[in-house]
Amino acid sequence: MKDVVALGELLIDFAPVSADEAGYPTLKAQPGGAPGNFLAALQSYGCSTALIGKVGDDAFGHLLVGTLQGLGIGTEGIVTDPAVFTTLAFVTLDATGNRSFSFARKPGADTCLRTEEINYTLLDDCKVFHFGTLSLTGEPAREATQAAVAYAKKQGKLISFDPNLRKPLWPDEAAAKAQIEWGLHQADIVKISDEEIDFLWGLTPEAGAQKLLKEYGVRLVYATLGPKGSHFANQNGCGEVPSPTGLHVIDTTGAGDIFGGSAMSQFLRLGKAPETLTVDEMAAVTRFACCAASLSTQTHGGINSVVPEAEVRKVL
């Protein structure tokens, strides 16, 4: 049985490593995609995982599948399609390492996953099913995602959700809000950023977390605060954990996904229902996740930036 199965995008992040006199960047190709980053952290920290998604039958698609296999992430749910190209994301970094994205995705392979291509056996055989919103930005992947969520819920699986808002991929903000709201209503565990809470409701992270618990039926919330750390909450209480200081940030790509996967790995070790975690247990889970995510920003990329657990423990 897999601990966690995720559905969604597997793509190539092109990150700038230098620039010429005119400002044109030299780019380095990195394996990425939020679900892939999420699972890479889980796999690195002792969990068994698999991904459901689609890549092109091209060089990048084969590289990505090989990368997951090398990490031990199950790839039996990944479809290779010769009719579409593997999705590409071009990353722009500011002086503090914060990133923005431009996507070559009209369509990209990840948007073309069809309902009949889902490997439902993986959903039968897992503890947690995870998804985000990039697979909800268009059809047929949206219908496939909705079908997978419905199936997993029917099988009694824990549902994990990350809004992972990327505004350029939506036709307008109303469409983004509608799909994020749908995802939040499905979830037991949510990792959401302070910026996403503000985008949805104009609330503080603390108020947003309480809204999710009381109005959406979410059982455990992590509201990340960028470099400041993360707020956490369930029915037993809430709190905040700071990120480690003094690190040299190079690239924040994938840090939120790595936070989510790291937190999930520690949550699963406890063997408890999400709503039964004590404040101390949530704080310990969140502290580990903040450290893992922060350490990942010291190098480029998402999947490849997950640091070994021993390094995280050393910082802790």
Side-chain angles (χ1 to χ4, degrees):
M1 171 179 279
K2 301 291 186 185
D3 292 311
V4 181
V5 172
L7 181 150
E9 70 279 6
L10 188 63
L11 51 79
I12 297 291
D13 287 321
F14 284 95
V17 294
S18 63
D20 64 17
E21 293 179 356
Y24 287 95
T26 298
L27 302 172
K28 182 179 181 181
Q30 300 271 11
N37 302 333
F38 179 87
L39 294 182
L42 275 157
Q43 195 74 34
S44 182
Y45 302 138
C47 296
S48 57
T49 65
L51 181 68
I52 296 171
K54 179 177 279 193
V55 296
D57 188 7
D58 50 42
F60 282 134
H62 296 306
L63 275 170
L64 287 165
V65 172
T67 294
L68 295 196
Q69 290 172 342
L71 294 172
I73 298 170
T75 59
E76 57 267 44
I78 299 178
V79 178
T80 301
D81 190 340
V84 287
F85 286 109
T86 299
T87 302
L88 309 177
F90 297 89
V91 184
T92 303
L93 302 174
D94 65 17
T96 64
N98 285 317
R99 75 284 178 273
S100 58
F101 295 90
S102 300
F103 291 87
R105 192 180 185 244
K106 296 182 179 181
D110 70 294
T111 69
C112 298
L113 181 70
R114 300 192 301 272
T115 301
E116 61 269 22
E117 294 174 321
I118 294 171
N119 186 333
Y120 288 99
T121 302
L122 287 172
L123 299 181
D124 290 328
D125 251 356
C126 71
K127 298 175 183 176
V128 179
F129 175 67
H130 174 79
F131 72 108
T133 57
L134 265 67
S135 61
L136 297 172
T137 54
E139 299 293 359
R142 180 185 299 161
E143 182 179 332
T145 304
Q146 292 169 342
V149 172
Y151 186 89
K153 287 176 73 72
K154 187 176 180 179
Q155 302 305 310
K157 310 301 181 181
L158 277 176
I159 307 298
S160 167
F161 177 63
D162 180 352
N164 194 31
L165 177 63
R166 298 286 179 264
K167 290 182 182 179
L169 295 178
W170 296 94
D172 51 56
E173 291 190 357
K177 287 181 179 180
Q179 294 304 317
I180 292 173
E181 290 274 1
W182 179 84
L184 293 171
H185 279 289
Q186 312 308 310
D188 299 296
I189 300 173
V190 167
K191 195 285 291 181
I192 188 169
S193 73
D194 50 357
E195 293 177 347
E196 289 159 347
I197 289 173
D198 182 65
F199 170 76
L200 289 169
W201 309 304
L203 297 175
T204 65
E206 296 80 8
Q210 291 304 311
K211 184 178 181 73
L212 288 169
L213 294 173
K214 296 173 181 177
E215 299 180 25
Y216 289 74
V218 177
R219 299 155 67 185
L220 175 60
V221 180
Y222 307 103
T224 56
L225 311 172
K228 293 186 292 185
S230 180
H231 180 79
F232 59 82
N234 72 358
Q235 66 177 11
N236 292 326
C238 61
E240 186 174 313
V241 168
S243 292
T245 59
L247 301 179
H248 177 56
V249 176
I250 294 175
D251 182 0
T252 60
T253 302
D257 312 319
I258 291 167
F259 175 98
S262 303
M264 183 64 73
S265 74
Q266 303 308 295
F267 162 76
L268 288 171
R269 290 185 188 184
L270 294 172
K272 299 176 67 172
E275 69 276 13
T276 65
L277 266 62
T278 66
V279 170
D280 286 345
E281 287 170 334
M282 287 188 288
V285 166
T286 307
R287 188 173 295 110
F288 180 92
C290 282
C291 284
S294 296
L295 290 171
S296 77
T297 67
Q298 296 185 107
T299 187
H300 286 290
I303 288 175
N304 288 341
S305 68
V306 179
V307 302
E309 182 166 352
E311 293 186 27
V312 182
R313 297 292 176 193
K314 185 177 179 181
V315 173
L316 287 174

